[in-house]
Amino acid sequence: MGDDDESCSRSLPMGKTAAERGLPECYLNPTSHHASLTPEVANVPTIDFGKLKKGSDEEERATVIQEIRTACRQLGFFQIINHGIPQSVLDGALVVASEFFELPDSEKAKFMSKDVHKAVRYETSFKPWRVFLKHYAHPLENWIDSWPNNPPSYRETMGEYCREVMELSLEVTSAITESLGIGPTYLNKKMENGMQVIAVNGYPPCPRPEMTLGAPPHSDHSCFTIMLQSSAGLEIMDIGDGKWKLIPELETALQVHVGDHFEVLSNGLYKSVVHRATLNSERTRISVASFHSLGIDEKMKTAEELVSEEQPAKYRESSFRDFLNFLSGNDIAEGNTFLDSLKLA
Ligand code: OGA
Ligand code: NI
């Protein structure tokens, strides 16, 4: 997501109660970035991936593909059940994530950087109210040695999660391209050789959760993002009625965001969902976002099959590196978005 304005650069402490914390001026946001304490709850399309596995009933499979198409067009968002990743692997990822955030600042500072081109980096800010560790994850053997080795089980446990999610991402790719009518193998080779970037986000308890946000409104640059969260807090913009909707907790599910590059692939048929993270005053919320893209210099182009006289091409082609260059050259807080920069005319 956007690496936003860092007008307040003090380190955000983990593990202290909200009441023990001061209220720095700089964390208060303009009213457009205030959250509701009683948000409307989203009616989240739930996709049963068990019905897409090899050997499943053809008719059932076609129904699920249609459900994916509807979800991607209407919301750009759905959640997956029966994804096949063991609950112990999901729980393990959340546990090592929170153990990492609980480490002394000196330990985490080893990874501190604002250089968006770095393959591993840690950041902390009051505005938005968040700490995060980002790292590349695929192919795993290329990157795992550069990840934190404290907590001692971080590499193994997070590595297992990343491997499982990478596998799932190829099924998601197939299902989405099939749902677009361009076939289940349209992008799989490129995604297999593509990028997986992990963002481990921590949102400590906030004394005034209604006054600010953990992640400002944004869409993800990726083809799509697979999210795991420890508790509710993610909100999506429902383009149907223009309202923020809270994604309710469903412990075993994983959430999928359509990202900018699949909006481009689909020539705007599928929507890169605008979303944000809200806060609470009681407990730290953890999320693990896995961003899936083509190779770093591989350009995402709109599928020719989806361009016609009635539907002329709407987007320029771009790569993950183009996104990073956009990020380092633009102030996201000013409302500039990568997706807008790709729109033709
Ligand atoms: C992100 C993101 C939301 C969340 O990391 O891109 O949207 O709930 N996170 O953590
Ligand atoms: Ni995001």
Side-chain angles (χ1 to χ4, degrees):
M1 64 153 288
D3 291 64
D4 337 89
D5 67 318
E6 303 293 334
S7 48
C8 188
S9 56
R10 280 166 56 195
S11 161
L12 184 57
M14 299 293 297
K16 294 210 180 103
T17 64
E20 283 172 316
R21 263 192 221 117
L23 271 178
E25 273 288 306
C26 57
Y27 101 119
L28 298 174
N29 268 323
T31 42
S32 61
H33 280 195
H34 287 190
S36 165
L37 290 177
T38 52
E40 229 177 283
V41 175
N43 186 7
V44 185
T46 301
I47 306 295
D48 184 349
F49 260 55
K51 295 181 177 162
L52 295 179
K53 304 277 178 210
K54 276 205 183 73
S56 329
D57 181 82
E58 276 305 309
E59 224 168 280
E60 253 182 8
R61 183 186 165 84
T63 306
V64 174
I65 295 291
Q66 193 55 45
E67 287 168 1
I68 292 175
R69 183 177 171 91
T70 305
C72 292
R73 289 185 71 162
Q74 293 183 346
L75 277 181
F77 186 87
F78 56 87
Q79 62 185 357
I80 304 181
I81 55 166
N82 293 322
H83 41 66
I85 305 181
Q87 189 64 36
S88 58
V89 174
L90 307 186
D91 294 343
L94 292 173
V95 169
V96 284
S98 94
E99 286 172 357
F100 175 79
F101 290 134
E102 296 297 336
L103 293 173
D105 284 343
S106 57
E107 191 60 32
K108 292 176 287 196
K110 293 178 189 163
F111 300 95
M112 194 92 84
S113 173
K114 287 191 190 298
D115 178 358
V116 300
H117 294 274
K118 278 223 153 108
V120 181
R121 66 193 189 92
Y122 173 73
E123 256 198 51
T124 165
S125 72
F126 273 99
K127 194 177 154 190
W129 185 270
R130 176 179 61 158
V131 291
F132 68 78
L133 174 69
K134 272 191 187 170
H135 52 64
Y136 292 5
H138 179 75
L140 202 52
E141 61 276 15
N142 288 7
W143 304 111
I144 197 165
D145 293 340
S146 60
W147 294 1
N149 57 5
N150 192 5
S153 60
Y154 186 88
R155 290 180 185 174
E156 191 184 334
T157 306
M158 194 57 81
E160 185 66 24
Y161 177 73
C162 292
R163 203 193 319 268
E164 293 273 2
V165 172
M166 186 65 209
E167 217 171 285
L168 175 65
S169 77
L170 298 177
E171 292 177 43
V172 172
T173 301
S174 281
I176 292 183
T177 57
E178 185 175 347
S179 76
L180 271 174
I182 54 179
T185 58
Y186 188 90
L187 272 185
N188 271 44
K189 265 275 154 311
K190 284 188 178 171
M191 291 299 271
E192 236 176 284
N193 297 322
M195 299 197 61
Q196 178 187 28
V197 179
I198 299 292
V200 182
N201 299 302
Y203 305 97
C206 178
R208 299 282 302 279
E210 75 287 6
M211 296 298 281
T212 190
L213 289 170
H218 67 281
S219 64
D220 294 343
H221 64 272
S222 52
C223 292
F224 59 87
T225 305
I226 300 179
M227 280 255 317
L228 166 68
Q229 37 180 340
S230 67
S231 58
L234 176 68
E235 290 183 0
I236 61 169
M237 171 58 75
D238 184 337
I239 44 182
D241 60 12
K243 289 188 182 151
W244 288 109
K245 304 271 172 77
L246 180 71
I247 303 305
E249 231 169 298
L250 180 57
E251 212 192 314
T252 55
L254 290 166
Q255 284 84 33
V256 177
H257 296 91
V258 172
D260 297 346
H261 271 162
F262 266 7
E263 180 165 325
V264 170
L265 173 74
S266 71
N267 204 19
L269 189 66
Y270 287 5
K271 299 295 182 281
S272 183
V273 60
V274 175
H275 54 283
R276 65 185 193 178
T278 59
L279 301 161
N280 74 78
S281 57
E282 272 113 54
R283 59 186 189 283
T284 296
R285 174 173 171 263
I286 306 277
S287 74
V288 183
S290 180
F291 302 94
H292 297 272
S293 309
L294 305 182
I296 191 154
D297 288 308
E298 185 84 46
K299 300 279 187 187
M300 173 56 82
K301 305 180 177 78
T302 300
E304 280 172 21
E305 295 86 335
L306 301 174
V307 177
S308 63
E309 228 167 272
E310 303 82 65
Q311 292 295 331
K314 295 191 177 75
Y315 306 87
R316 283 190 296 119
E317 61 177 35
S318 66
S319 65
F320 182 81
R321 197 186 302 279
D322 293 333
F323 163 72
L324 292 177
N325 291 336
F326 176 87
L327 203 56
S328 50
N330 286 274
D331 190 350
I332 304 287
E334 296 288 304
N336 300 316
T337 75
F338 179 55
L339 188 60
D340 281 344
S341 80
L342 300 178
K343 287 184 179 155
L344 296 167

